[in-house]
Amino acid sequence: MKTIIEPFRIKSVEPLRRTTAAEREHLLLQAGYNLFELRASDILIDLLTDSGTSAMSTGQWAAMMRGDESYAGSESYFRLKAAVQELTNFRHVIPTHQGRAAERILFTVMCRPGHVVPSNTHFDTTRANIEFTGAQAVDLPWPGAADTQVRLAFKGNMDVAALEKLIAVEGPGKIPLVMLTVTNNSGGGQPVSMANLRAVREVTAGHGIPLYLDACRFAENAWFIHQQEPGFEGFTPKQIAQAMFSCADGCTFSAKKDAFANIGGFLCTNDDRLAQQERDLLILTEGFPTYGGLAGRDLEAIAVGLEEVLDPDYLEYRIASVRYLGRHIADHGVPIVEPPGGHAIYIDAGRMLPHIPRHEFPGQSLAIELYRHAGIRSVEIGSVMFGEHAQYELVRLAIPRRVYTQSHIDYVVEAILEVNAHKEKLRGYRIVSEPKFLRHFSARFEPL
């Protein structure tokens, strides 16, 4: 059969509330034209993020009932630890309330002013946590990713030559770690090849620099390797994921992505000394090392989710459903980051709206119009989010896992094509107030 169906049945539903165009215009004005400031009940289709927005399975809900809420030594922690170690083989597993908490602990322990942390592309919270320590976050994307319209496999790769050059210029002593994000979220959700991961590992190992994975979407990355990288056709997603983790010295992980959980994450390392420092810091702000700011029931949900996410039927459906959205808008003239990534479609707003200059935020303009026109919430990935570090002006449509059906996605396609038909009427915005860090969360805008 050619039709790829959802590999699950729906057991519980949540009603959606429709709003009028006039209501949405009023809500945008109240929110300062910042989609983060909208109430979820005023959203029809919410594609702001795939983080923490998944639908959990019957297996996860059942496992939550046995959650051990003991303050120390929870059995739920040891079940999570066993699941993580079977997958990653890292010695130390430190639970946190979400991925950015793992990032904060990792960079607080490892980074100092004057340090440089390279990545294929840092996400916003990763960059902010690095820069908060006084270190510098440096993006080294693969040169082949520069053209968003070129359809090449593994455009999420790191530029290995640029990494070697950076190490030669800065010196290994100024680079406390290298971070490789799989898949490359800010780079369009593009995967990283096993060959690239191993090449980066060879460079870092040669200079004694630890290599860490930002492993939020490791399973989706493993599926791309299975499908597109020669030599991995006969490997299961789990075997590929294990090979990916074997190249690293540790990882950060948001369980709100490729573990279907609504909250949670963890930090892993093979370094005994670092693990002790990280646990000491964890106790100050997150909780005891066997719960890390999470309820035992959440630890159980993550442990089950790590197994479910590697199911080949699920991964085939997941990647195909995202590709369905991408192809249906790209083939009708909407420029996206090609090829479609693993968890989201990224519209190239800079290319779609060439009449809006970067300093007037074309991505924000497009995201606002999608909500105004159809009640769809997306997120700008460009000069609002990254400032001068922005490489592109994108709008991300992140697809929550196991939440929306094909008819929802067909509605999104129809809305995007209708907005594209009157794109010349869109205008830019300017920022009228903003915080010091992560301005896209609470900055306020006004139309020009």
Side-chain angles (χ1 to χ4, degrees), residues 134-189:
Q136 179 185 2
V138 175
D139 294 335
L140 302 176
W142 181 54
D147 186 345
T148 62
Q149 303 304 290
V150 174
R151 299 184 189 182
L152 297 173
F154 302 112
K155 289 172 72 174
N157 284 350
M158 177 178 277
D159 186 338
V160 179
L163 175 63
E164 292 177 318
K165 182 178 179 180
L166 180 70
I167 295 171
V169 171
E170 299 290 345
K174 290 184 66 177
I175 301 176
L177 75 157
V178 172
M179 179 71 81
L180 198 60
T181 305
V182 292
T183 56
N184 189 338
N185 187 4
S186 298

Side-chain angles (χ1 to χ4, degrees), residues 121-361:
T121 311
H122 290 287
F123 195 57
D124 60 341
T125 58
T126 316
R127 178 178 297 278
N129 273 303
I130 291 170
E131 293 178 348
F132 189 74
T133 69
Q136 179 185 2
V138 175
D139 294 335
L140 302 176
W142 181 54
D147 186 345
T148 62
Q149 303 304 290
V150 174
R151 299 184 189 182
L152 297 173
F154 302 112
K155 289 172 72 174
N157 284 350
M158 177 178 277
D159 186 338
V160 179
L163 175 63
E164 292 177 318
K165 182 178 179 180
L166 180 70
I167 295 171
V169 171
E170 299 290 345
K174 290 184 66 177
I175 301 176
L177 75 157
V178 172
M179 179 71 81
L180 198 60
T181 305
V182 292
T183 56
N184 189 338
N185 187 4
S186 298
Q190 299 294 311
V192 175
S193 71
M194 188 70 75
N196 185 253
L197 205 166
R198 288 171 173 169
V200 172
R201 175 61 177 179
E202 183 177 356
V203 171
T204 57
H207 293 281
I209 300 171
L211 173 61
Y212 276 72
L213 298 183
D214 177 344
C216 294
R217 299 173 181 88
F218 75 95
E220 293 170 3
N221 200 95
W223 184 254
F224 278 112
I225 291 174
H226 170 74
Q227 290 290 97
Q228 299 180 5
E229 191 162 0
F232 289 93
E233 303 88 350
F235 289 79
T236 67
K238 183 175 182 178
Q239 290 170 328
I240 294 171
Q242 289 170 328
M244 289 165 55
F245 285 112
S246 72
C247 294
D249 298 290
C251 75
T252 59
F253 181 71
S254 171
K256 298 168 69 176
K257 283 84 168 176
D258 269 0
F260 305 114
N262 301 133
I263 197 68
F266 52 77
L267 169 62
C268 293
T269 182
N270 283 327
D271 189 307
D272 298 339
R273 180 184 60 83
L274 283 177
Q276 186 57 55
Q277 292 178 311
E278 290 162 354
R279 289 193 182 98
D280 290 344
L281 186 56
L282 177 95
I283 290 171
L284 289 178
T285 58
E286 295 288 307
F288 196 73
T290 55
Y291 77 91
L294 292 170
R297 63 184 73 96
D298 297 315
L299 301 174
E300 298 281 1
I302 296 168
V304 174
L306 287 173
E307 178 180 354
E308 291 182 350
V309 77
L310 290 165
D311 174 32
D313 288 339
Y314 160 74
L315 286 170
E316 181 184 31
Y317 145 77
R318 170 65 171 169
I319 302 306
S321 62
V322 174
R323 184 171 61 245
Y324 177 90
L325 170 58
R327 288 273 56 87
H328 274 70
I329 61 174
D331 292 347
H332 287 83
V334 177
I336 68 170
V337 175
E338 294 278 11
H343 70 289
I345 292 301
Y346 295 69
I347 299 175
D348 190 336
R351 188 181 293 265
M352 179 178 172
L353 307 174
H355 61 287
I356 301 179
R358 295 190 68 170
H359 68 273
E360 294 180 7
F361 309 120

